[in-house]
């Protein structure tokens, strides 16, 4: 972190700070004095003092002054949990890369193919059947691959009725794969298979995550370990200022640790996120299931997605009845008397922006905070609705964040009163991609502890978690936020919260199954369906 970001704290304009604090407290006082239905809201004052140079919570982080500190050091107990969770993200073995890498020997989507396997007993396809597709990967010479590890995505869709469902891809570790889909609608069902990354590219991504981040002797680091959660965070110490004068947090540069030939493994339109052609028909015709036929979906299928689209509307298969909140009146009626706390990255901020744009009565209170990272507060006084957004703590790649606004989600949850009128939404994944997976696992474990404690003291609180989603990829995006990283984080999140009483919004499948192009920030039709899922959890059908 440069000296420029350690400007003397006396340069702050105290008048602006106190005005900001006064506006924030005034907003909450006005709201809590008039929203009797919501009960008491605990107001946590904003902290201006950022002098947090303290010893690490875990002795294993820096046991001796001469050792090297690392922000992803773990205690023995955390290591035990980490190892068990890492079993959930074991990836099939990928080929090692020689010093003289040849692109021609890597996976090529243009020479690869897929074929729809025939129905059992030669019967016609019916709603409720399972469709299987065999995928064979070849290199740029057209020679079949003999190893697995390629990252493939599969989708079944029908553009006419705007239907789509994500498929499950099974790796046979010999260059062949099987994609499995449930048949959920009548009519045409077209298969789409995408090579996101070759197995060689996955080898490179694995290497990047395993390489140790920069380390420095203890005396050259500022220790900003969070006192409450024990989350470690270190910054380089400035030459002339002390660690307590930190004012802003900003993302630094990113070093591309790739060899020249390795970069060619991440070529959009050539070998990264490219469709694989079919060697025969790419679609089947599905008929309505006879009334006397047994129910198949969810009973004999080897895979069951969380849901699918039909007529552009998301239909859940996880037991949730998704209602359509297609008017502001319906949304306001559902949210009346509710407090929504949104915590996370820009994909959660996107939900805040959607709500404030869609609900005319939900007015943002101007906290004079940065448009990218907030925090934000919106009020609908007549309907007793409060919606807030706060970005998660480091690592975070927003351009610049005031250091006193870097709040860990676990600490925010510990300060909540909770209750039947409180909804907590969490989405945290994108900013962790350039760090070892241990950092992400530790953060989620900390959040899980806070969620469990919140649900213990306030069982009526509704906690909703948004998963990761696929996005558009370039060479830079592949290194910093590849879909492969996101998928690994998605698996970690599901494993950690598997037995916790939370609701999931499956952003991964909702983005993958939709016909719109992948984007870090999914387009409005997808967001609308996500909000419908959220509101259906808040206001389940009676």
């Amino acid at each position: 972190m440069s000296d420029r970001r350690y400007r003397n704290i006396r340069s702050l304009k105290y008048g602006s700070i106190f005005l900001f604090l006064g506006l924030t407290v005034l907003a909450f006082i006005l709201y809590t004095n008039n929203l009797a239905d919501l009960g008491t809201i605990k107001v946590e004052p904003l902290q201006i003092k950022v002098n947090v140079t303290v010893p690490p919570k875990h002795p294993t982080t820096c046991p001796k002054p001469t050792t090297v500190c690392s922000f992803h050091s773990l205690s023995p107990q955390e290591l035990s949990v980490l190892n068990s969770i890492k079993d959930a993200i074991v990836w099939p073995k990928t080929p090692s890369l020689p010093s003289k890498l040849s692109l021609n020997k890597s996976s090529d989507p243009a020479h690869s193919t897929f074929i729809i396997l025939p129905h059992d007993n030669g019967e016609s396809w019916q709603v409720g059947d399972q469709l299987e597709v065999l995928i064979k990967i070849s290199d740029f010479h057209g020679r079949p691959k003999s190893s697995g590890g390629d990252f493939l995505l599969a989708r079944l869709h029908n553009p006419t009725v705007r239907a789509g469902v994500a498929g499950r891809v099974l790796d046979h570790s010999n260059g062949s794969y099987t994609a499995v889909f449930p048949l959920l609608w009548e009519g045409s069902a077209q298969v789409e298979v995408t090579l996101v990354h070759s197995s060689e590219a996955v080898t490179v991504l694995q290497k990047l995550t395993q390489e140790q981040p920069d380390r420095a002797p203890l005396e050259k680091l500022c220790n900003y370990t969070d006192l409450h959660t024990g989350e470690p965070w270190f910054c380089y110490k400035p030459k002339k200022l002390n660690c307590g004068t930190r004012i802003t947090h900003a993302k630094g540069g990113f070093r591309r640790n790739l060899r020249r030939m390795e970069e060619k493994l991440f070529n959009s339109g050539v070998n990264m996120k490219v469709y694989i052609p079919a060697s025969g028909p790419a679609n089947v015709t599905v008929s309505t299931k006879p009334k006397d036929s047994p129910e198949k979906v969810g009973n004999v299928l080897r895979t069951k997605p969380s849901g699918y689209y039909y007529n552009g509307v998301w239909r859940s298969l996880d037991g949730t009845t998704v209602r359509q909140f297609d008017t502001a009146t319906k949304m306001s009626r559902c949210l009346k008397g509710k407090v929504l706390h949104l915590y996370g990255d820009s994909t959660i901020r996107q939900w805040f922006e959607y709500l404030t744009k869609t609900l005319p009565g939900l007015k943002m209170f101007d906290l004079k905070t940065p448009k990218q990272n907030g925090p934000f507060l919106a009020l609908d006084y007549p309907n007793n609705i409060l919606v807030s957004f706060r970005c998660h703590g480091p690592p975070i790649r927003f351009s610049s964040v005031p250091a006193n606004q870097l709040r860990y989600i676990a600490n925010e949850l510990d300060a909540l009163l909770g209750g039947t009128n409180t909804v907590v939404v969490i989405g945290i994944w994108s900013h962790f991609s350039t760090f070892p997976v241990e950092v992400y696992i530790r953060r989620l474990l900390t959040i899980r502890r806070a969620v469990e404690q919140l649900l213990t003291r306030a069982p009526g609180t509704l906690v909703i978690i948004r998963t990761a989603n696929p996005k558009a990829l370039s060479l830079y995006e592949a290194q910093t936020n590849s879909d492969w990283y996101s998928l690994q984080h998605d698996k970690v999140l599901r494993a950690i919260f598997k037995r916790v009483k939370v609701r999931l919004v499956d952003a991964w499948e909702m983005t993958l199954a939709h016909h719109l192009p992948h984007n870090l920030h999914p387009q409005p039709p997808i967001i609308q369906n996500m909000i419908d899922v959220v509101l259906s959890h808040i206001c389940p059908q009676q």
Side-chain angles (χ1 to χ4, degrees), residues 236-464:
Y236 284 109
K237 184 180 296 184
K239 295 179 180 179
K240 297 181 181 180
L241 299 174
N242 62 56
C243 295
T245 55
R246 181 179 64 156
I247 294 178
T248 59
H249 170 98
K251 66 177 182 180
F254 176 76
R255 293 193 313 276
R256 299 187 176 187
N257 297 324
L258 295 182
R259 294 178 292 170
R260 183 177 61 86
M261 287 304 298
E262 289 178 344
E263 290 188 359
K264 295 184 180 296
L265 295 172
F266 303 92
N267 195 341
S268 297
V270 176
N271 57 5
M272 182 170 68
K273 245 179 183 181
V274 179
Y275 295 138
I276 292 177
S279 60
N283 66 290
V284 297
T285 300
V286 185
S287 61
T288 304
K289 178 182 59 180
K291 294 182 179 180
D292 57 349
S293 296
E295 181 65 36
K296 296 180 180 180
V297 177
N299 293 331
V300 300
L301 292 182
R302 291 162 56 190
T303 180
K304 184 179 179 182
S306 63
Y308 67 104
Y309 288 104
Y310 192 79
N311 287 329
V313 174
W314 182 255
R315 298 183 176 184
S316 176
L317 293 174
D318 64 2
T320 303
T321 300
V322 180
R323 302 167 58 192
Q324 304 308 303
F325 295 85
D326 47 7
T327 66
T329 300
K330 291 180 181 179
M331 295 175 65
S332 297
R333 187 180 299 126
C334 173
L335 293 176
K336 186 172 184 178
K338 302 292 184 184
V339 176
L340 274 71
H341 296 293
L342 311 181
Y343 303 107
D345 53 33
S346 59
T347 62
I348 289 294
R349 185 191 67 214
Q350 194 178 12
W351 289 8
F352 179 90
E353 294 166 346
Y354 180 89
L355 290 173
T356 54
K357 181 179 179 180
T358 306
L359 294 175
L362 190 62
K363 305 295 184 182
M364 283 192 63
F365 189 89
D366 188 1
L367 298 177
K368 309 297 182 183
T369 52
K371 294 183 179 180
Q372 191 175 30
N373 50 268
F376 303 130
L377 178 70
L379 301 170
D380 181 341
Y381 183 78
N383 289 302
N384 292 347
I385 302 172
L386 182 149
V387 182
S388 68
F389 166 81
R390 181 176 288 278
C391 66
H392 63 74
I396 195 158
R397 293 198 297 267
F398 291 153
S399 57
S400 182
V401 183
N404 64 339
Q405 293 298 326
L406 290 175
R407 309 288 185 83
Y408 289 96
I409 294 177
N411 291 341
E412 296 296 304
L413 296 181
D414 286 343
L416 286 183
L417 181 65
T420 55
N421 290 322
T422 301
V423 181
V424 172
V425 177
I426 301 170
I428 177 171
W429 57 279
S430 176
H431 295 257
F432 287 77
S433 295
T434 53
F435 296 86
V437 71
E438 291 87 346
V439 178
Y440 187 62
I441 291 175
R442 161 179 268 176
R443 185 62 52 83
L444 289 188
L445 290 175
T446 303
I447 293 173
R448 185 181 72 176
R449 172 201 56 80
V451 167
E452 290 174 332
Q453 292 180 352
L454 172 61
L455 294 177
T456 297
R457 67 177 181 269
T461 307
L462 175 61
V463 179
I464 300 173

Side-chain angles (χ1 to χ4, degrees), residues 120 124 351 363-364 472 476 487 502:
D120 295 339
S124 61
W351 289 8
K363 305 295 184 182
M364 283 192 63
Y476 173 79
L487 178 61
V502 299

Side-chain angles (χ1 to χ4, degrees), residues 104-264:
N104 290 330
K105 295 182 179 179
S106 64
S107 303
D108 176 24
H111 283 93
S112 303
T113 61
F114 73 83
I115 184 171
I116 297 175
L117 299 179
H119 193 291
D120 295 339
N121 303 321
E123 298 177 357
S124 61
W125 298 103
Q126 298 176 356
V127 172
D129 286 337
Q130 177 175 272
L131 185 72
E132 294 191 5
V133 174
L134 179 63
I135 307 164
K136 294 186 176 181
I137 302 298
S138 299
D139 63 19
F140 280 81
H141 288 302
R143 296 173 298 200
K145 298 287 292 291
S146 58
S147 59
D150 297 285
F151 179 20
L152 303 169
L153 293 177
R155 181 172 75 106
L156 195 67
H157 65 110
N158 182 327
T160 303
V161 295
R162 293 178 295 152
V165 65
R168 179 189 177 196
V169 178
L170 309 174
D171 190 338
H172 302 300
S173 299
N174 59 3
S176 67
Y177 302 78
T178 300
V180 185
F181 309 90
L183 297 179
L184 300 168
W185 60 83
E186 183 182 2
S188 176
Q190 183 172 337
V191 176
E192 179 182 281
V193 178
T194 303
L195 175 71
V196 181
H197 291 306
S198 65
S199 56
E200 291 79 11
V202 173
T203 299
V204 174
L205 295 176
Q206 289 175 323
K207 180 191 71 172
L208 292 178
T209 60
Q210 292 167 358
E211 289 177 349
Q212 300 297 323
D214 281 342
R215 291 167 175 249
L218 178 60
E219 62 272 12
K220 293 185 179 181
L221 291 176
C222 286
N223 181 1
Y224 295 115
T225 298
D226 183 67
L227 285 171
H228 184 66
T229 64
E231 290 281 354
W233 190 257
F234 296 88
C235 294
Y236 284 109
K237 184 180 296 184
K239 295 179 180 179
K240 297 181 181 180
L241 299 174
N242 62 56
C243 295
T245 55
R246 181 179 64 156
I247 294 178
T248 59
H249 170 98
K251 66 177 182 180
F254 176 76
R255 293 193 313 276
R256 299 187 176 187
N257 297 324
L258 295 182
R259 294 178 292 170
R260 183 177 61 86
M261 287 304 298
E262 289 178 344
E263 290 188 359
K264 295 184 180 296

